[in-house]
Amino acid sequence: MDPVRIAVVGMGKIARDQHLPAIAGDSGFSLAATVSPHDPGVAGVPHHKSLDALLAEGPPVDAVALCTPPQVRYELAAGALKRGVHVFLEKPPGATLAEVAALEARAERVGASLFAGWHSRFAAGVAPARAWLSDRTVKQVSIIWREDVRVWHPGQAWIWEPGGLGVFDPGINALSIATHILPRPFFLKAATLMLPANRAAPIAADLAFCDTAGAPIHMDLDWRQTGPQSWDIIVETDAGTLKLSRGGAVLTLPSGTTHSEDREYAGLYARFSTLIRTGRSDVDTDPLRLVADAFLRGKREQVEAFEE
Amino acid sequence: MDPVRIAVVGMGKIARDQHLPAIAGDSGFSLAATVSPHDPGVAGVPHHKSLDALLAEGPPVDAVALCTPPQVRYELAAGALKRGVHVFLEKPPGATLAEVAALEARAERVGASLFAGWHSRFAAGVAPARAWLSDRTVKQVSIIWREDVRVWHPGQAWIWEPGGLGVFDPGINALSIATHILPRPFFLKAATLMLPANRAAPIAADLAFCDTAGAPIHMDLDWRQTGPQSWDIIVETDAGTLKLSRGGAVLTLPSGTTHSEDREYAGLYARFSTLIRTGRSDVDTDPLRLVADAFLRGKREQVEAFEE
């Protein structure tokens, strides 16, 4: 079968670090174009300043990967879907839940594939963790996601703006794993969001969830961590403790520890390829819904101003 | 057919003003019990201090109407559904979107009916407004919901707590109408939430939505209105202007104005009865999702402290 001709839209850090190498490594795709108002693109690949220009002037594309900030994602996705072009949405899939639902309805109407990609679900330890937990009774869960925003999000002003999620930008990765591996749905009981005096988005958060059998799930999110970083999920069960660390890459079970190489974006593109070739969409908004619930129901506390 | 034996849980203003009269006026229901930790209940009707006590000790009930604040709604609903008891959720259906989704899944599993009631959708002008708009092209919409919180929510401290929604408690009524009558889905573009210095929930909000054809929908919510109150939705279309006022009770079309008596809760209970007798649920969370999106994406501004 011919490779899917794909354009990468929004040439920031995630596009260059992850999407371009994953596309280059997947024979199911060929990079047809790049789009960015500022970035010069990639040598030898057609480049446009806007998606509208690409769609109007070509080269022809079958799919787009949207790697822009979420605040501008809807218009781009709607414009692509309108022409029957398949769409891969980086996480989070949108700035609001309702816009993602509208995109899903539009994709269905035009028969294009829409994929809300959650890269952390493709970390090496996640699938075996999900399998191991599927017939266990969960007693309690602890999610600790503490990183240094200056290291991981340098100069990303949009992340602090309304719709940019703040510390939930990494935190939603943890939620994308937890919603995928835990055997029961869970929902928020209480939350405290800590907002720097000079910012519109939280720099830290403490969240108490509970699953439908009553098991408590505690989540500690902090962007002020210097020194060792933590991206850990610890699940206590009737059969012992499971620990996913390094963002899902390392899995420790009572029987031992497995490390594997990072294949997250290869997994995402393999999935997107399958969706396109089978005419389906995959738009799971559960992680974003939990974040929206935290903003809806959480208590806000002002903390020290954050200067980059 | 025997009437559905129903208990009213949470004997606040809405239960006494609306639910009890609607149940008394509907031959499909009989009031079997009331539940409240403080309220003495109704003469001649069994009363319990908790839903657990009612479900354990009887009298037997087929359904419950949950009129408590949303923050405690989930446990009550889950406890009732576990026993196969049908559940009517006052608006908003929960404190979070995920908990409502969990309840919906549970209702389906046990074969009980779950009804997320949006009373404003049963206002007299709403069904004809929906019918009139169904084949019109919407150009723009203005929603103006300005009321005096001191008049309409005296002493309701929970409404200002996290999960209590603040001015979105009435505002969600407007959204329940708009999502029902407008022919296209819509989603948030920008929002400003105004929070009193001493409160956790907004006292006013300015919201810009847009429908999937690009028509702008502006919403002006304010709880600081004294004098005349406004609960108006104005829809400009290719065939002239529609105006719903008095919260949906009065409909003005280019052809004239219709006033009708308030039958909102009678309509809600007729719908709940149909759901129970046909073994279905009706759990539309679109209005709450738009509110969550406003909390997720909205900008916050501090305004003057509010003292009741």
Side-chain angles (χ1 to χ4, degrees), chain B residues 285-300:
Chain B
T285 52
D286 283 2
L288 185 58
R289 188 171 67 186
L290 289 171
V291 174
D293 282 343
F295 278 73
L296 178 67
R297 166 141 211 188
K299 199 171 65 159
R300 283 167 173 73

Side-chain angles (χ1 to χ4, degrees), chain A residues 97-98 162 187 189 293 297 300, chain B residues 75 97-98 162 293 297 300:
Chain A
L97 289 162
F187 52 89
K189 301 296 288 182
D293 282 342
R297 166 143 210 189
R300 283 169 172 72
Chain B
E75 299 297 340
L97 290 162
D293 282 343
R297 166 141 211 188
R300 283 167 173 73

Side-chain angles (χ1 to χ4, degrees), chain A residues 216-229:
Chain A
I217 298 167
H218 180 254
M219 185 168 183
D220 168 11
L221 287 180
D222 206 318
W223 247 353
R224 298 165 299 189
Q225 180 85 348
T226 53
Q229 310 277 295

Side-chain angles (χ1 to χ4, degrees), chain A residues 53 94 97 103 127 161 174 182 202 207 213 238 241:
Chain A
L97 289 162
L103 290 177
E161 295 301 313
L182 293 177
L207 304 112
D238 58 338
T241 298

